[in-house]
Amino acid sequence: MLRTLLALALAIQPVMAADLPDLGEVSRQYFSDQEEQTMGRAIMRDVYADPGYLDDPEIETYLNQLGYKLVSVSTRNQREFNFFVVNDPSINAFAMPGGNIGVHTGLLLSAQSESELASVVAHEIAHVTQDHIARMVASQSQSYWPTMAALALALLAARSNPNVAGAAIASTQAYSIQNQLNYSRDYEREADRLGYEMLTRGGYDPRGMSEFFNRLQRANRFYDSSAPAYLRTHPLTSDRIADMQARSEDAPYQQVENSLDFHLVRARLRAQEDSPADAVRAARNVLKEKRYSSETAARYGLATALIRARQFKEAEAEVQKLLSGKPVHPMIQLLAARSALDAGLHGLALQRYQEGSEAHPGYRPLQYGHIGALLSAGRSNDALTQVDKQLALYPLDRRLWRLAAQTHAQLGHRLLSHRAQAEAAALSGDLIAAIELISLGIKAGDGSFYEISAAESRRREWQDVEKSQRKN
């Protein structure tokens, strides 16, 4: 994400400092809803293209499930959200325009309970629902920003890695931008209060918030001038911690168990660390020494590491143990299918994908794997049936559109393949690529009159949107 900082440093001109607006006022004079959505799409285009983005459907699905559980109990739940994962060991999470919320893998691994993780996510959701970024942008005349694109880059840089962003921006005349993009203490208190309410309504332990920030504050004492990334954009004070603790003390005690999903996601992340051999060794030691909160998750982590190390016989032995538990979790069913596929057992893999898809029809990572396995087996028509069925349910899923593009390409449908690629590009925020791709499809000339007309209509729609964005 930080490769854009040099361009940012050259693009941004001096910015006059201004007081932030009153908390009761959400000004849209310089930052409309449409501009926020445009900025959000521009940011996500860079996020998806960056190697720091963790393209892991299982972890992203879990994070979106947790996030939307909190959104559903928010007082302003009409907003759309998108939760994504950044492969970075630092403890950080950040909210972006358009309801985009990023979480670092370091935060997922450092949270000692699901309630702690939920407390940070709830806090970020509150920043979005309360329009804190819009308020910060509205505190300055838009004439001081060279383009909305430059502002999008500034927000992405400052939010995703404030340590590096601060160092890069300091070398320019735009250092004041860094301060403007850090949340004020008033915003932080407001996000604390609303995040706490989401935690309690969502069934999480409200003490998770004070416990997590207490630990961050203690860790901060060992960092000298380089505070944890989260603290650079979320100023933490003893008053805020005391307020969260006081709220927690007044709440009735309730023991909240961590979900199996939480344990499986963390085990999956650990199994992907270091070399495959080191990951296997670490996972074996966890089981041998019983250093786990969930034996199921520990075995899942070992099986994942064994597949990475291509030790398929040992992986299958662990998979069999996992499959003996009932009901079978969708992440375990997917692991079992992937283990068979990677071992070259295509028939067994397809059987497991079929069983998993039928048992968990709403779990999209299983559907992705099933469609991919059908394509690998050359069963293009079956893959097309599956992908069309899923797109009818989830038409805004960019991963499904990519699979549709592969399916149509395998069937020799050039227009439909390019059209599907274009849809995936548009959903990833890259309208220019979408227009180019769909134009190639129209030129292919192998579609029906209806398919060509639909593609031309879609191209005009994207051209109008892209033209409107360039005016901003």
Side-chain angles (χ1 to χ4, degrees):
M1 295 179 190
L2 299 172
R3 71 186 188 282
T4 55
L5 284 172
L6 179 59
L8 168 66
L10 295 173
I12 296 180
Q13 301 301 316
V15 178
M16 294 181 64
D19 294 331
L20 293 171
D22 294 335
L23 283 176
E25 175 190 352
V26 180
S27 173
R28 289 293 186 177
Q29 183 179 359
Y30 301 113
F31 194 39
S32 67
D33 289 337
Q34 182 179 358
E35 286 173 327
E36 181 179 358
Q37 292 302 316
T38 298
M39 186 182 295
R41 286 190 292 269
I43 287 171
M44 292 313 298
R45 179 192 61 215
D46 283 349
V47 167
Y48 291 139
D50 194 276
Y53 167 67
L54 183 62
D55 189 6
D56 189 307
E58 292 157 87
I59 298 175
E60 193 170 289
T61 295
Y62 164 71
L63 193 60
N64 274 274
Q65 288 172 342
L66 181 143
Y68 266 103
K69 181 179 179 181
L70 294 165
V71 170
S72 69
V73 295
S74 168
T75 55
R76 298 181 65 185
N77 56 14
Q78 71 277 14
R79 297 285 295 266
E80 289 188 4
F81 284 80
N82 172 47
F83 301 87
F84 62 95
V85 187
V86 178
N87 192 11
D88 191 305
S90 63
I91 301 173
N92 203 8
F94 51 96
M96 305 296 299
N100 297 301
I101 293 178
V103 174
H104 284 203
T105 53
L107 173 60
L108 285 163
L109 290 173
S110 67
Q112 295 183 2
S113 70
E114 193 168 31
S115 293
E116 287 193 1
L117 173 62
S119 74
V120 179
V121 176
H123 185 99
E124 297 306 318
I125 291 170
H127 280 311
V128 174
T129 61
Q130 299 309 110
D131 293 314
H132 287 164
I133 293 178
R135 294 181 189 182
M136 287 189 287
V137 173
S139 70
Q140 306 172 55
S141 169
Q142 191 179 17
S143 62
Y144 291 119
W145 299 101
T147 63
M148 291 296 287
L151 176 54
L153 294 178
L155 285 164
L156 177 59
R159 296 265 77 80
S160 62
N161 195 326
N163 294 323
V164 178
I169 294 175
S171 64
T172 75
Q173 295 176 302
Y175 179 70
S176 61
I177 290 176
Q178 182 67 32
N179 293 328
Q180 288 293 328
L181 295 181
N182 290 344
Y183 292 118
S184 73
R185 292 181 179 180
D186 286 338
Y187 289 172
E188 289 298 278
R189 281 193 292 268
E190 188 173 39
D192 288 343
R193 178 177 59 81
L194 295 175
Y196 181 89
E197 291 176 1
M198 277 183 260
L199 273 184
T200 54
R201 291 179 187 147
Y204 295 101
D205 184 358
R207 292 167 180 79
M209 182 172 283
S210 58
E211 289 170 357
F212 181 78
F213 287 119
N214 249 324
R215 196 163 66 255
L216 264 190
Q217 189 184 52
R218 288 194 298 271
N220 187 33
R221 298 170 186 168
F222 301 100
Y223 281 87
D224 298 324
S225 60
S226 179
Y230 194 78
L231 299 184
R232 295 290 302 275
T233 51
H234 297 73
L236 187 61
T237 64
S238 56
D239 288 345
R240 283 180 56 213
I241 293 178
D243 180 54
M244 286 183 279
Q245 288 175 331
R247 291 176 183 271
S248 299
E249 290 171 359
D250 292 337
Y253 176 77
Q254 58 175 337
Q255 186 173 1
V256 180
E257 292 187 9
N258 297 321
S259 69
L260 178 57
D261 303 72
F262 174 73
H263 292 302
L264 290 173
V265 162
R266 286 156 56 84
R268 180 170 176 78
L269 283 171
R270 291 195 182 99
Q272 294 171 352
E273 293 181 328
D274 305 320
S275 70
D278 288 340
V280 170
R281 190 178 304 110
R284 288 194 190 281
N285 288 336
V286 166
L287 274 168
K288 181 181 179 180
E289 299 168 11
K290 296 186 177 181
R291 291 184 287 106
Y292 51 72
S293 301
S294 166
E295 182 178 353
T296 298
R299 291 200 179 279
Y300 173 90
L302 175 57
T304 302
L306 286 166
I307 293 170
R308 274 189 70 202
R310 304 193 65 78
Q311 298 178 31
F312 298 121
K313 184 177 179 179
E314 294 87 344
E316 181 62 22
E318 294 300 327
V319 163
Q320 289 296 330
K321 295 174 186 176
L322 290 167
L323 290 175
S324 65
K326 301 297 179 184
V328 179
H329 191 281
M331 286 182 67
I332 291 174
Q333 188 71 51
L334 180 52
L335 178 74
R338 187 180 291 127
S339 174
L341 188 65
D342 289 353
L345 305 174
H346 296 283
L348 179 59
L350 283 170
Q351 177 188 332
R352 287 176 173 175
Y353 274 123
Q354 181 69 34
E355 291 172 353
S357 297
E358 291 174 355
H360 307 282
Y363 190 67
R364 276 184 264 177
L366 259 173
Q367 307 298 335
Y368 304 148
H370 190 193
I371 296 165
L374 289 169
L375 289 171
S376 297
R379 292 171 55 179
S380 309
N381 287 314
D382 291 335
L384 182 60
T385 299
Q386 286 293 104
V387 78
D388 283 347
K389 179 181 176 182
Q390 290 300 309
L391 279 172
L393 296 170
Y394 311 108
L396 301 182
D397 189 322
R398 70 186 191 284
R399 292 188 177 97
L400 284 174
W401 280 111
R402 289 198 195 105
L403 287 166
Q406 294 173 34
T407 304
H408 284 298
Q410 201 170 91
L411 289 166
H413 304 159
R414 289 178 294 170
L415 167 59
L416 294 178
S417 178
H418 281 101
R419 163 78 187 271
Q421 290 181 62
E423 294 286 353
L427 288 166
S428 299
D430 196 342
L431 284 180
I432 293 176
I435 293 167
E436 292 175 351
L437 285 164
I438 205 166
S439 296
L440 286 173
I442 293 169
K443 290 178 182 177
D446 67 336
S448 66
F449 174 78
Y450 170 78
E451 290 166 346
I452 293 174
S453 297
E456 289 175 339
S457 175
R458 196 68 164 137
R459 179 172 63 178
R460 286 192 298 271
E461 179 184 339
W462 287 333
Q463 287 171 333
D464 289 343
V465 174
E466 197 275 330
K467 183 179 180 181
S468 175
Q469 289 180 3
R470 275 190 281 114
K471 290 181 179 179
N472 292 327

